[in-house]
Amino acid sequence: NGVNAPTYNYLKLNPTSTFATTSPDISTWNGTGSWSTSANWSNGVPGASTNAIIAQSSPTAPLLVDVDAQCNNLTIQVGAYVTVDLGRTLTVNGNFTIESSATGAGSLIAGGTAGNINIIGDIAINQYLLGAKQYHISPPVDNDTLGALQAYPTSDNDFYRWREKTSMWIELNTPIGGTGSQYDPPGDDLREGFGYHVLYNLSSGTPVTKTYTGDLIFTDVTPSPVTYSPATADPNWLGANLVGNPYPCAIDWDQGNWGKTNIYESIYVWNGLQYLSYNGSTGVGSLTGGIIPPMQGFFIWVNSEDPHNFRIPTDARTHSSQATYKESNVGKDVLKLSLEYSEAT
């Protein structure tokens, strides 16, 4: 009868059978290759309710999501690199976080020329900045606001945008209670594809982690407008526009379908003391390989009033271990910059 049948207590006798529907609470990746390889995970391949932690991979051998996959929360730690294969989708049912430290940040390539990532919960892209160091940074998201980078007191913290038309820096650390046309309100959007000059905690030198909470960018980005203002700009800075890497991964100045119509081939990245340069035509410069780290601002030069186009393409994305440039990274080329600000808009 049924009681004496060998399959009577099937679930107890076969706890690993395919009838099991649960997934581990947490699983950490420390492997090489495919998301679907169980041996790469500390607790098996994540399921819909698993919190997945990507602890380590390499720029040349990232974790490759080459199957349709899902998890609950997803955290990409420093030193971890993730690529979603074209035609595949990674669904994050919970929150998505990229961590950052003094040595760099996690890296993700998804959307655009790669596969899709569908994030149901909140997004937090972190950027670790040493105190009392000058950075040119760029938001790796859309729809975040100036409030993400503003800091008080203004005497101890810098937050500026560059205005090519007047060749001057515009103060964005609106004083508490400050009003008027010279201020950008805290609720105004950070500009997609543009760079900003920041310095935090000048007197104490205390590091700070900034968190971006907007939407990940999966398309080509055309910073608008980049300008050329011969009637008003300082001749030494005519056509200079501070743009930035809008993706949570590095980009390569030599790779992909960039829009560079009436744009010089040289770029300049501030390292806290001087500018590192790279020329895309000659391949010469102190910016190694023309690699622009995630969340890095950089100067381009528009060379004509004629119609010009500058576009940052998704197919320029790459993985790199280079952290956002700061004062400790010293190159050979020097381009001096006088830091001033104006109350003009």
Side-chain angles (χ1 to χ4, degrees):
N1 58 40
V3 172
N4 295 321
T7 56
Y8 165 65
N9 208 6
Y10 187 88
L11 290 179
K12 286 187 177 181
L13 294 174
N14 299 276
T16 60
S17 77
T18 56
F19 288 93
T21 58
T22 59
S23 57
D25 292 336
I26 299 175
S27 197
T28 301
W29 167 280
N30 276 297
T32 300
S34 172
W35 175 286
S36 60
T37 303
S38 182
N40 289 329
W41 295 93
S42 65
N43 204 13
V45 177
S49 61
T50 304
N51 294 328
I53 300 172
I54 315 306
Q56 187 176 3
S57 53
S58 76
T60 56
L63 185 164
L64 183 62
V65 183
D66 58 356
V67 295
D68 290 333
Q70 59 180 320
C71 62
N72 185 35
N73 297 329
L74 176 62
T75 301
I76 302 177
Q77 296 183 337
V78 178
Y81 306 84
V82 178
T83 297
V84 183
D85 205 4
L86 188 63
R88 299 300 184 180
T89 297
L90 173 59
T91 299
V92 180
N93 296 306
N95 300 326
F96 174 73
T97 303
I98 295 182
E99 295 185 348
S100 178
S101 73
T103 60
S107 180
L108 170 72
I109 297 178
T113 51
N116 298 320
I117 184 169
N118 181 26
I119 301 168
I120 308 302
D122 297 328
I123 293 171
I125 311 298
N126 294 300
Q127 186 173 28
Y128 178 98
L129 302 171
L130 293 171
K133 303 291 185 182
Q134 298 179 59
Y135 290 84
H136 286 172
I137 65 174
S138 182
V141 296
D142 192 16
N143 297 324
D144 207 349
T145 65
L146 298 179
L149 296 177
Q150 288 177 329
Y152 308 99
T154 56
S155 60
D156 205 39
N157 301 282
D158 290 348
F159 179 28
Y160 296 90
R161 64 177 171 87
W162 174 255
R163 188 168 188 255
E164 183 273 340
K165 186 176 181 180
T166 55
S167 306
M168 300 189 77
W169 293 97
I170 307 300
E171 169 72 65
L172 296 177
N173 263 337
T174 307
I176 296 174
T179 59
S181 61
Q182 69 267 36
Y183 299 126
D184 287 43
D188 279 8
D189 286 345
L190 287 166
R191 300 181 180 188
E192 178 182 320
F194 283 95
Y196 297 87
H197 172 97
V198 298
L199 177 149
Y200 296 107
N201 300 330
L202 178 61
S203 60
S204 68
T206 305
V208 62
T209 297
K210 294 295 181 178
T211 300
Y212 304 94
T213 59
D215 302 320
L216 291 178
I217 299 169
F218 300 129
T219 60
D220 294 356
V221 172
T222 302
S224 181
V226 294
T227 58
Y228 181 88
S229 310
T232 52
D234 180 336
N236 294 318
W237 288 91
L238 174 61
N241 287 262
L242 181 58
V243 296
N245 180 354
Y247 307 115
C249 63
I251 50 178
D252 188 338
W253 186 244
D254 287 332
Q255 174 179 298
N257 186 30
W258 289 80
K260 300 179 183 178
T261 305
N262 289 319
I263 306 290
Y264 285 116
E265 275 289 341
S266 290
I267 55 173
Y268 298 87
V269 172
W270 177 248
N271 74 355
L273 290 177
Q274 57 194 31
Y275 282 91
L276 309 179
S277 67
Y278 183 80
N279 185 285
S281 294
T282 64
V284 173
S286 50
L287 181 68
T288 304
I291 299 297
I292 303 163
M295 296 173 277
Q296 178 73 58
F298 59 100
F299 270 102
I300 61 166
W301 250 259
V302 180
N303 62 27
S304 174
E305 287 185 281
D306 293 335
H308 49 263
N309 170 62
F310 180 66
R311 182 184 65 257
I312 306 169
T314 59
D315 58 359
R317 295 176 300 175
T318 188
H319 291 302
S320 170
S321 59
Q322 174 62 56
T324 307
Y325 281 96
K326 55 186 180 295
E327 187 172 331
S328 61
N329 300 292
V330 179
K332 297 179 182 179
D333 298 341
V334 176
L335 181 63
K336 293 184 178 179
L337 175 67
S338 176
L339 181 62
E340 301 176 358
Y341 80 91
S342 169
E343 292 189 350
T345 57

